[in-house]
Amino acid sequence: MSIVNLQILKKEAIQLLIQIINTPSISKQENKVSILIEDYLHQYGFYVKRKFNNIWTENNNYSKKKDIQTILLNSHHDTVKPGKNWITDPFSATIKQEDQLIGLGSNDAGASVVSLISTFIYLSSLSELPYRLVLSITAEEEISGNLGVRSILPELGSINLGIVGEPTKMQVAIAEKGLIVLDCIAEGKTGHSARNTGINAIYIAIRDIEYLRSLSFDRKSDFLGFTTLNVTQIQGGIQHNVIPDICSFVIDIRTNELYENEELIDMIQKKIHSKMKLRSLHLNSSFINPMHPIVLKAKFIGINTYGSPTLSDQSTMPFSTIKMGVGDSVRSHTPNEYVLISEIMEGIDIYICLLKDFNF
């Protein structure tokens, strides 16, 4: 492959993003958009592998040394369901004032998808790279689904570094909070409210929730701050004159890298009376050594680093990762979600600048 014209790639990136927006890809319904992206990569001669609605490919312009390092470029093509209050059609790309591209998934994470694809194609057209490069565009990120990137990681081979494309204003998140969700059930005994009999499960839940409200975690991360806990849902009672025997509530915990998930779960279970059921244990906090070569390169070219409070597919990756992408997370999951075309142009340039002369 001869060196690809970068200006042409950038124009194609915008057209590809428009097509992606116009192809509904709510989580678990990403088949059509995955085919769209696969077809685009085929135009540049790449052999694309597929599992479920995940697609991936790799460059072949790398040194064939046995100890070659591998970089994964990853982002997701699924979206949340559109909420109310959209002025435009969320599934129809709209360009406003020449620079603002509006549509569901434009910012989260379509802009990063097309920017990483353009970066991958450009780098794959250069002379020999000192690393193997894998591009994966994956599904079910918005629901942390089992058929997303987690399902293909064993098939990608050994990965040394991951760059996860999410809207970070092209800053580098070198740490990311993890997530634990606990479903809790307080159990009592039914009785007639007029006779004041039975054991009120709501009162048991209230005592537990009051304890959780006062619970604090003293290990403060330099990048992620404190681990936080909130009770975010509660439900109990079947009618006004029956003492409820069941009250359920949900705990949302955002973790830093200083706690193991099992440690936090054990700590909570010992202190509350309600039974707990764990939804998942794999959404870990992420952290990369601030002295890692990719972080040092980012700082060298003037990119800021920070700790991110939001969850991404980083949580499923058992290797060093950074989160870095086009757009602003404040716009994600909002009506009239948008990205600036100029942000995509600049994002492609920054990705290339970060990786073109990079070495481990």
Side-chain angles (χ1 to χ4, degrees):
M1 181 191 296
S2 57
I3 297 179
V4 176
N5 185 302
L6 188 54
Q7 296 309 311
I8 292 176
L9 267 182
K10 289 181 177 181
K11 290 179 181 179
E12 290 179 354
I14 303 306
Q15 293 307 309
L16 179 59
L17 180 53
I18 289 171
Q19 290 179 285
I20 288 172
I21 293 168
N22 293 346
T23 307
S25 55
I26 294 165
S27 300
K28 290 187 175 294
Q29 301 172 29
E30 312 98 339
N31 182 255
K32 288 183 179 180
V33 78
S34 70
I35 292 172
L36 170 69
I37 296 168
E38 182 178 3
D39 287 345
Y40 178 70
L41 290 167
H42 283 160
Q43 292 175 27
Y44 280 93
F46 292 104
Y47 173 66
V48 180
K49 296 181 181 180
R50 166 181 292 274
K51 185 175 183 180
F52 307 121
N53 291 325
N54 308 287
I55 58 173
W56 69 97
T57 187
E58 64 178 75
N59 69 325
N60 53 27
N61 61 327
Y62 60 88
S63 168
K64 300 307 186 284
K65 297 177 183 176
K66 288 184 178 180
D67 59 348
I68 191 75
Q69 304 277 286
T70 298
I71 299 175
L72 172 67
L73 306 181
N74 169 261
S75 191
H76 65 94
H77 50 38
D78 67 313
T79 72
V80 296
K81 294 178 180 179
K84 298 179 181 179
N85 304 318
W86 276 79
I87 296 173
T88 62
D89 180 352
F91 300 114
S92 179
T94 303
I95 296 178
K96 184 178 179 181
Q97 298 175 344
E98 297 188 354
D99 193 35
Q100 191 179 74
L101 182 53
I102 304 169
L104 183 65
S106 57
N107 178 77
D108 184 13
S112 295
V113 167
V114 299
S115 298
L116 285 173
I117 289 172
S118 298
T119 299
F120 173 80
I121 293 172
Y122 179 79
L123 292 175
S124 297
S125 74
L126 301 179
S127 57
E128 188 175 89
L129 293 176
Y131 50 80
R132 173 175 165 256
L133 196 59
V134 177
L135 171 73
S136 67
I137 308 299
T138 50
E140 297 193 8
E141 189 275 344
E142 295 291 3
I143 58 171
S144 301
N146 292 327
L147 303 184
V149 69
R150 244 188 325 150
S151 69
I152 67 168
L153 286 178
E155 304 190 35
L156 300 182
S158 176
I159 304 292
N160 303 98
L161 171 66
I163 298 177
V164 178
E166 290 281 350
T168 69
K169 298 192 285 188
M170 290 307 288
Q171 298 179 64
V172 171
I174 63 173
E176 175 187 86
K177 281 196 169 180
L179 170 65
I180 300 172
V181 179
L182 299 172
D183 292 296
C184 301
I185 297 178
E187 296 182 343
K189 184 178 180 181
T190 57
H192 199 299
S193 61
R195 298 183 181 279
N196 203 27
T197 57
I199 301 172
N200 196 319
I202 290 177
Y203 295 159
I204 296 171
I206 287 173
R207 286 196 295 271
D208 286 344
I209 291 169
E210 195 58 39
Y211 166 77
L212 294 168
R213 183 182 179 188
S214 64
L215 182 62
S216 60
F217 305 95
D218 56 4
R219 301 175 201 166
K220 184 179 181 182
S221 164
D222 291 338
F223 298 100
L224 298 175
F226 291 106
T227 289
T228 60
L229 180 153
N230 284 286
V231 175
T232 54
Q233 293 174 274
I234 186 167
Q235 184 175 8
I238 54 172
Q239 61 190 61
H240 78 89
N241 59 352
V242 177
I243 299 295
D245 61 343
I246 294 290
C247 182
S248 62
F249 58 97
V250 177
I251 304 173
D252 179 296
I253 307 172
R254 304 291 167 150
T255 62
N256 64 27
E257 77 279 11
L258 302 180
Y259 288 93
E260 296 292 333
N261 287 357
E262 294 88 346
E263 178 186 8
L264 291 168
I265 293 165
D266 185 59
M267 181 189 307
I268 294 167
Q269 184 64 89
K270 287 179 178 178
K271 294 293 185 178
I272 67 174
H273 294 89
S274 300
K275 294 181 179 179
M276 294 192 335
K277 183 179 178 181
L278 180 65
R279 286 195 192 177
S280 63
L281 196 61
H282 66 275
L283 303 176
N284 299 296
S285 61
S286 305
F287 179 77
I288 191 171
N289 189 325
M291 299 305 293
H292 190 284
I294 197 68
V295 179
L296 297 179
K297 177 67 181 293
K299 290 180 177 179
F300 178 76
I301 62 176
I303 299 173
N304 293 327
T305 61
Y306 73 108
S308 172
T310 57
L311 191 71
S312 75
D313 276 335
Q314 270 188 294
S315 64
T316 68
M317 298 179 181
F319 42 81
S320 296
T321 55
I322 60 171
K323 182 166 67 177
M324 177 189 187
V326 178
D328 188 341
S329 65
V330 172
R331 305 173 198 152
S332 301
H333 306 178
T334 62
N336 312 305
E337 176 187 350
Y338 71 91
V339 69
L340 301 181
I341 292 173
S342 56
E343 290 175 326
I344 296 172
M345 304 290 113
E346 183 182 21
I348 293 170
D349 287 336
I350 293 173
Y351 276 138
I352 290 173
C353 185
L354 180 68
L355 291 170
K356 187 175 180 180
D357 299 314
F358 176 75
N359 210 337
F360 286 88

